[in-house]
Amino acid sequence: MICLRKFRRACHEAARRTGGQIVEFRIADGVTPNFHQGVLEYGGHRLSIVCTRDRTEPVVAIAEPRAIDETVVAAGPLTFVDAPELVAVLAEFPALRVLTPADLAGPFDARTWPGYDPADLKYWAPADWARCSSTTGTDWSPCSAA
């Protein structure tokens, strides 16, 4: 499971070094979503650094922020965005595996993701990384859902 302290530190460092500012952290503690968000003001708009919640090897990507509160979780797949400066800083943290939109559009290979339930992979049969959000769009966990 991800160390939230490391995730927060990586988000703050990425924001600081790229001229952004952390606005809030949205920490997932229920069933859905299965990802945390570090929301930041960056380049005149808001972005989220999203991080898988339940993986031994934390995976992060940059996406449009997802609204989450006790009554509603925004539906639909996450929209991943290019932010090379943020990715470069996050990649310096050895505890994180950083995926770009190009990575997410690439083919899925289950051999690169040990630890997933083979039954889940067979059921969801993700063809590419971008299909790694649930049908309701409330979850994001690379290769666990389509």
Side-chain angles (χ1 to χ4, degrees):
M1 196 169 281
I2 175 129
C3 173
L4 287 175
R5 180 180 294 156
K6 290 178 183 177
F7 172 60
R8 288 176 189 253
R9 184 171 50 236
C11 290
H12 279 290
E13 185 66 10
R16 184 186 68 77
R17 289 182 36 200
T18 61
Q21 180 178 353
I22 294 295
V23 176
E24 68 177 305
F25 283 96
R26 298 174 182 166
I27 304 303
D29 58 3
V31 174
T32 60
N34 68 350
F35 58 90
H36 306 300
Q37 297 180 83
V39 181
L40 64 149
E41 291 288 337
Y42 175 78
H45 54 281
R46 284 193 178 195
L47 294 177
S48 280
I49 300 171
V50 294
C51 180
T52 54
R53 180 181 71 189
D54 298 324
R55 292 278 304 160
T56 303
E57 177 188 38
V59 178
V60 298
I62 311 301
E64 292 180 3
R66 176 61 54 86
I68 300 169
D69 64 32
E70 287 94 39
T71 61
V72 67
V73 176
L78 287 170
T79 301
F80 296 101
V81 297
D82 280 313
E85 290 179 327
L86 290 172
V87 166
V89 176
L90 293 169
E92 294 176 15
F93 287 81
L96 303 176
R97 182 172 182 177
V98 184
L99 297 178
T100 66
D103 296 328
L104 291 160
F108 167 65
D109 181 355
R111 294 172 297 188
T112 63
W113 290 90
Y116 278 96
D117 184 346
D120 283 347
L121 293 177
K122 183 177 180 181
Y123 177 79
W124 292 110
D128 58 36
W129 295 107
R131 300 208 21 107
C132 294
S133 57
S134 74
T135 55
T136 63
T138 58
D139 293 336
W140 178 66
S141 183
C143 310
S144 66

